[in-house]
Amino acid sequence: MTTPTATESGTFTLGGELTVNRLGFGAMRLTGDGVWGEPTDRDECKAVLRRAIELGVNFIDTADSYGPAVSEEIIAEALHPYPDDLVIATKGGFLRPGPGQWDADGRPEHLREACESSLRRLKVERIDLYQLHVPDPNVPYEESVGALKELQDEGKIRLIGVSNVSVEQLATARRIAEVVSVQNRYNLTDRATEDELDECERDGIGFIPWFPLAVGRLARPGGPLDEIAASHDATPSQVALAWLLRRSPVMLPIPGTSSVEHVEENVAAAGIELSEDELETLSRISA
């Protein structure tokens, strides 16, 4: 029996330019507790990245605030010079005063500094996909998005994405720049951003769900999710990923981990084929 790889998740082309396998990797967990400081085992984190690449993952999502800086540094240490087909997305727009603390900063001057720092850490001349991490309530959203458009015009960013946005904020951003991706919280148990996903699907914008593995009470023993997972000899989290991949053709899940064993488990979800009845059951119980 062959090992499933990310190629079985299908592909999506960001902005009509960068084609990736739909099951990617989120690099937030390559840090210490509270997404702060060094991970417990830096070498294991680098091994995770290399194993993900071996398993067909060619889309990695990170941010300058993860660590801060640590996640980007580890990606460069592990993978640079990068494979030709690897797309690295990063984000700017948060300040990190301490573990578990996240302060929005969407000032254009901060976003420029954050982007240029990410360029240096990732050892690239242009960032494939740069995302505004969060709207800053103290800065007009147009100014924040406009800063990314300026960086794109200068050749420092190839494609622009936004994160943690409403339908209205997405529309605002699209009036200023071409937006190729939206990264919002979305999973089997939390579908509060369904409207934003539908908007992305209508217009061919990639939708990157963060916190994709959440299953919560749905994973209780003997429940429908547990039974579906058992029928596929899979874990509830693997089924949750398989459901995301079937939910929409623009869906780009980025499960993260700092364990080689766990990254192998996550990628194997791409090989799970859910039946129509199973899809209906999962959609019904999550709703």
Side-chain angles (χ1 to χ4, degrees), residues 48-268:
V48 165
L49 289 163
R50 294 173 182 136
R51 183 59 176 146
I53 298 298
E54 292 173 353
L55 292 171
V57 171
N58 61 1
F59 179 56
I60 294 176
D61 177 86
T62 185
D64 71 327
S65 56
Y66 297 165
V70 174
S71 176
E72 291 180 331
E73 291 170 353
I74 291 176
I75 289 169
E77 288 175 20
L79 301 177
H80 190 271
Y82 303 114
D84 291 340
D85 68 339
L86 179 61
V87 173
I88 298 178
T90 193
K91 300 180 285 292
F94 268 123
L95 294 176
R96 299 296 313 284
Q101 298 179 54
W102 304 78
D103 294 343
D105 189 344
R107 294 173 299 129
E109 57 268 33
H110 169 73
L111 293 171
R112 175 172 292 275
E113 179 184 356
C115 177
E116 292 176 348
S117 295
S118 291
L119 285 166
R120 290 192 295 271
R121 281 190 292 270
L122 291 169
K123 300 181 180 179
V124 294
E125 295 182 356
R126 180 175 65 172
I127 292 171
D128 294 325
L129 173 62
Y130 195 80
Q131 303 157 94
L132 181 56
H133 208 152
V134 66
D136 183 344
N138 297 313
V139 178
Y141 197 55
E142 294 86 347
E143 293 184 13
S144 300
V145 177
L148 268 59
K149 181 64 169 65
E150 290 181 5
L151 289 163
Q152 184 181 49
D153 291 342
E154 294 169 15
K156 296 177 179 179
I157 294 172
R158 182 168 183 174
L159 300 174
I160 292 173
V162 293
S163 182
N164 298 299
V165 293
S166 64
V167 169
E168 293 74 20
Q169 288 165 331
L170 174 58
T172 296
R174 295 180 71 191
R175 287 193 291 270
I176 298 166
E178 180 182 0
V179 175
V180 307
S181 67
V182 168
Q183 184 167 166
N184 277 6
R185 177 169 171 142
Y186 187 91
N187 54 56
L188 189 59
T189 65
D190 182 354
R191 299 198 282 168
T193 59
E194 197 87 50
D195 290 345
E196 290 74 20
L197 170 57
D198 290 343
E199 186 83 5
C200 288
E201 188 169 336
R202 277 194 297 271
D203 293 339
I205 296 171
F207 187 89
I208 307 168
W210 61 266
F211 204 34
L213 295 179
V215 291
R217 61 178 179 78
L218 298 183
R220 64 188 182 278
L225 176 57
D226 182 57
E227 292 180 355
I228 291 171
S231 71
H232 288 275
D233 192 23
T235 67
S237 291
Q238 286 177 313
V239 172
L241 283 175
W243 177 81
L244 283 172
L245 289 167
R246 285 291 302 273
R247 169 62 182 82
S248 171
V250 305
M251 189 79 75
L252 304 170
I254 49 166
T257 179
S258 57
S259 157
V260 170
E261 180 181 2
H262 196 198
V263 78
E264 292 173 343
E265 178 183 299
N266 289 341
V267 172

